[in-house]
Amino acid sequence: MNDQPKIDRRDFVKTSAAAFGVTAVGARLSPHPSHSYDETIRVGLIGCGGRGTGAAVQALNARGNVKLVAMADAFEDRLTRSYETITGRDRDDRRDLGPQVDVPMEHRFVGFDAYKEVLPLVDVVILTTPPAFRPIHFAAAIAADKQVFMEKPVATDAPGIRRVLATAEEAKRKKLNVVVGLQRHYQTVYREWVERLHAGMIGEIVLGRVYWNSAGVWVRERQPGQTEMEYQMRNWYYFTWLCGDHIVEQHIHNIDVANWVKGGHPVRAQGQGGRLVRTEIDHGEIFDHHFVEFEYADGSRTLSQCRHMPDCWHQVSEAFHGTNGTAPQPGVILSSSGHTLFEHDDENDPNPYQVEHDELFEAITNGEYTYAEAERGAYATMTAILGRMATYSGQMVEWNEALNSDLSLMPKRYAFDAEPPVLPDEHGRYQIPTPGVTRAL
Ligand SMILES: NC(=O)c1ccc[n+]([C@@H]2O[C@H](COP(=O)([O-])OP(=O)(O)OC[C@H]3O[C@@H](n4cnc5c(N)ncnc54)[C@H](O)[C@@H]3O)[C@@H](O)[C@H]2O)c1
């Protein structure tokens, strides 16, 4: 056994096309031909940050004989910290997961190509890197016949969405379960609420209002000796190619609820946004606020707000207005006269982050093909990208044109000495999108 994680030096020489090429495989009729799941279900984690670590713990806490057997991250320090958290007892659940973790040093992989080393070792893969890499990792996972849990968003640009949609078809053909971490679909209060809205409790939905107004998230400052690619990879939230901007990375949850309630995606959007408060040198290129009006095929609108500014009105929620009443917050439905038609107390509801893993691993353990969520994840992500296209450009943007856009945000090469797609000026500042100037598509 080595005492150091493997560093994949090939990262430094391969072009992106070669590095991320995926071999097509033949059709398969049985969902699990290569592994009997009444034995151990072997899980691999790709992207060992905060969410990946949490998702791995939830997978290990799910029903079934689940073991974590391989891990991959772009950075060794992130992988090591994740491993220590999973095997330690410093977590809320305080369970000893040690017996379920068998990740020897030779199964810990570091670098842009690390994901490739994990896939042959596992049955299920958890994809929790920044969203830029999801189309690549998802395609590779399905090509390798793996069951998938992947976090939202599933891409940051339209070419990435189209790749995920194509892979989603392949996953369906192979009967591979795919769960996407839009956990409101696994949250009792939302399930109960949306079911009643779909049943017509407030009539036709004519207006939605969705919000993610919060103070913002972490910043990872530039460190001496970092290449530009390493800096952007560490501080990924602030680069659109990696994160999608916060309208995509975070507000996707609320936008997804609007699509869920409406039973489809919008047909066009227009909006506005900018950066007023979060303008420091480590805030990259993304906006700190967006407001979007999404129009659905039936002419109804959803108004979407997301803001990352401290000391302002905080709201992370959704509301819907119908011809016969309102649904002012998740779990509450009122008649037109204000009479309570439905109210759900969520105090004792299970943790949706755990439920999504419980349900996925239940299906896998039983040899069932139950979850095909990649398409829904792709449409939710694309809706948020549509909103970003509208706010960056200041234009009315049509869904079909947005989805078919060839505007790729990705670098030509994935390596720490490669040039990222955006570069700072001599003062270390990046170009900020300008409505009326920045192209939408
Ligand atoms: N569903 C939710 O509520 C929820 C909550 C938090 C985060 N997320 C999502 O989870 C994802 C990760 O977010 P996070 O908060 O854990 O971020 P994070 O920065 O803590 O973790 C991301 C990890 O991925 C690694 N990474 C980056 N590029 C990689 C690559 N090419 N190959 C392998 N590893 C790579 C990073 O080094 C880092 O360790 C994001 O898509 C985010 O939107 C979802």
Side-chain angles (χ1 to χ4, degrees):
M1 211 183 284
N2 298 327
D3 58 2
Q4 287 298 317
K6 285 183 183 168
I7 309 283
D8 194 337
R9 294 285 166 197
R10 288 171 301 171
D11 291 335
F12 294 92
V13 293
K14 281 197 174 166
T15 64
S16 60
F20 296 113
V22 177
T23 312
V25 297
R28 204 180 65 185
L29 297 176
S30 153
H32 316 302
S34 59
H35 191 77
S36 161
Y37 291 110
D38 51 15
E39 299 166 11
T40 306
I41 302 174
R42 301 166 305 162
V43 174
L45 173 60
I46 297 174
C48 310
R51 183 77 272 272
T53 304
V57 168
Q58 280 134 12
L60 295 176
N61 277 319
R63 183 185 151 243
N65 191 4
V66 183
K67 267 199 171 171
L68 182 66
V69 301
M71 298 169 74
D73 199 278
F75 299 109
E76 189 272 333
D77 59 304
R78 301 298 313 260
L79 190 154
T80 299
R81 200 185 320 158
S82 174
Y83 179 84
E84 285 169 0
T85 303
I86 295 167
T87 51
R89 293 219 206 168
D90 218 7
R91 305 180 315 271
D92 289 347
D93 65 347
R94 302 212 172 269
R95 266 194 67 205
D96 179 10
L97 297 174
Q100 286 173 263
V101 180
D102 182 13
V103 192
M105 282 295 175
E106 61 268 27
H107 289 179
R108 303 180 202 178
F109 305 99
V110 173
F112 282 96
D113 273 355
Y115 72 98
K116 292 179 179 173
E117 312 286 347
V118 166
L119 293 175
L121 303 172
V122 303
D123 308 302
V124 183
V125 72
I126 295 173
L127 305 180
T128 41
T129 66
F133 302 102
R134 206 86 71 242
I136 298 161
H137 294 171
F138 180 45
I142 296 303
D145 292 350
K146 306 304 163 189
Q147 319 257 7
V148 173
F149 171 83
M150 63 175 169
E151 263 305 340
K152 44 50 66 172
V154 300
T156 58
D157 61 11
I161 295 288
R162 296 197 298 274
R163 186 167 187 188
V164 169
L165 288 171
T167 306
E169 285 308 307
E170 190 66 358
K172 278 191 220 163
R173 195 175 65 75
K174 293 182 167 187
K175 296 189 166 72
L176 292 165
N177 288 290
V178 179
V179 166
V180 174
L182 289 162
Q183 73 277 358
R184 282 161 175 72
H185 292 269
Y186 293 84
Q187 194 165 346
T188 311
V189 65
Y190 281 92
R191 284 177 162 180
E192 297 285 325
W193 193 50
V194 176
E195 186 183 315
R196 284 167 176 80
L197 296 179
H198 283 167
M201 201 172 243
I202 60 168
E204 293 296 310
I205 308 291
V206 291
L207 178 69
R209 292 181 287 116
V210 298
Y211 307 90
W212 195 301
N213 290 339
S214 68
V217 301
W218 48 261
V219 172
R220 295 171 186 152
E221 290 171 12
R222 196 184 286 274
Q223 301 299 321
Q226 282 179 331
T227 63
E228 180 62 24
M229 180 65 95
E230 177 172 356
Y231 168 64
Q232 294 191 16
M233 286 282 288
R234 294 273 189 189
N235 199 28
W236 63 265
Y237 208 97
Y238 298 95
F239 296 94
T240 309
W241 73 273
L242 280 158
C243 158
D245 202 318
H246 66 109
I247 186 173
V248 176
E249 196 281 333
Q250 225 171 26
H251 192 35
I252 182 177
H253 284 297
N254 322 99
I255 289 171
D256 166 59
V257 172
N259 284 358
W260 184 11
V261 168
K262 289 299 297 178
H265 58 74
V267 292
R268 61 183 64 85
Q270 64 84 25
Q272 48 193 291
R275 46 194 261 160
L276 289 171
V277 171
R278 196 171 54 188
T279 57
E280 297 305 318
I281 200 146
D282 280 312
H283 294 150
E285 56 175 343
I286 68 171
F287 282 0
D288 62 10
H289 63 286
H290 303 254
F291 175 90
V292 183
E293 181 180 317
F294 290 105
E295 182 181 337
Y296 286 78
D298 61 3
S300 68
R301 306 287 203 276
T302 286
L303 307 179
S304 119
Q305 292 182 21
C306 61
R307 176 170 61 202
H308 275 183
M309 292 184 191
D311 304 321
C312 296
W313 181 58
H314 180 102
Q315 182 77 348
V316 178
S317 191
E318 306 85 15
F320 296 93
H321 301 256
T323 48
N324 295 331
T326 58
Q329 67 187 67
V332 178
I333 300 181
L334 307 176
S335 70
S336 301
S337 59
H339 173 69
T340 302
L341 298 175
F342 172 71
E343 195 164 11
H344 177 84
D345 176 5
D346 63 1
E347 200 177 317
N348 297 316
D349 286 350
N351 175 356
Y353 291 98
Q354 185 59 52
V355 175
E356 60 193 358
H357 285 275
D358 287 346
E359 295 194 11
L360 173 63
F361 281 91
E362 174 97 25
I364 293 170
T365 301
N366 294 339
E368 293 165 0
Y369 171 54
T370 314
Y371 297 99
E373 298 185 352
E375 189 175 299
R376 178 173 78 204
Y379 282 133
T381 307
M382 188 63 224
T383 306
I385 291 173
L386 175 74
R388 185 194 71 212
M389 287 171 162
T391 61
Y392 278 10
S393 68
Q395 307 300 328
M396 177 73 82
V397 186
E398 300 290 324
W399 171 273
N400 284 339
E401 290 173 15
L403 180 59
N404 289 310
S405 167
D406 285 325
L407 186 63
S408 168
L409 304 183
M410 295 304 130
K412 294 198 168 40
R413 197 165 66 90
Y414 297 89
F416 286 112
D417 64 351
E419 200 168 83
V422 290
L423 294 172
D425 66 14
E426 66 273 24
H427 307 295
R429 292 196 169 272
Y430 300 84
Q431 187 151 15
I432 311 303
T434 308
V437 175
T438 300
R439 59 187 267 227
L441 306 167

